[in-house]
Amino acid sequence: MNESGRAVAPLLKYYNIDEADLTVMHDDLDSPVGRVRLRQKGSSGGQNGIKSVITHVGSQIFNRVNRDPSKQAMTLNHVLLVLTMKIRKSLKMEFSKLLMQ
């Protein structure tokens, strides 16, 4: 299980950062290839790292950027995947769109 929240919560407190200003990037095995999604609040959606952040920070109100380089990849390979040029280009375009909003 991912325990990201154990590191995030003390950093927010130390640097006096509001939860609403936190942005967490994570993978999403259910997203189509190259899709990037931005959410400002909500449940963990079954993602253990987000679940840990919610538990340790004590709030669901923080930014999440989720993406999936390959839905068909096995989970271990998915996490350790070296991105192909096609996927890199797709992600670059999606991030550019997000930054323009």
Side-chain angles (χ1 to χ4, degrees), residues 11-101:
L11 287 171
L12 291 178
K13 185 174 181 178
Y14 181 82
Y15 288 106
N16 196 28
I17 298 171
D18 189 71
E19 294 89 1
D21 294 325
L22 171 66
T23 300
V24 176
M25 185 171 184
H26 64 93
D27 59 350
D28 183 355
L29 293 173
D30 294 324
S31 292
V33 172
R35 177 179 168 199
V36 176
R37 181 175 168 202
L38 177 64
R39 294 179 60 201
Q40 293 178 323
K41 61 182 178 180
S43 71
S44 68
Q47 213 283 346
N48 289 328
I50 296 298
K51 190 182 303 182
S52 175
V53 172
I54 290 169
T55 298
H56 291 280
V57 170
S59 174
Q60 292 185 358
I61 301 174
F62 58 89
N63 302 305
R64 303 107 191 270
V65 178
N66 63 11
R67 62 149 192 63
D68 176 35
S70 176
K71 183 176 180 176
Q72 287 76 32
M74 293 175 56
T75 303
L76 180 60
N77 289 336
H78 171 75
V79 173
L80 302 175
L81 180 70
V82 175
L83 300 178
T84 65
M85 291 303 286
K86 181 179 177 182
I87 293 172
R88 286 182 193 186
K89 184 177 179 181
S90 176
L91 289 173
K92 185 176 180 180
M93 288 175 27
E94 290 297 324
F95 280 119
S96 294
K97 288 178 195 175
L98 284 173
L99 293 173
M100 295 302 228
Q101 294 180 358

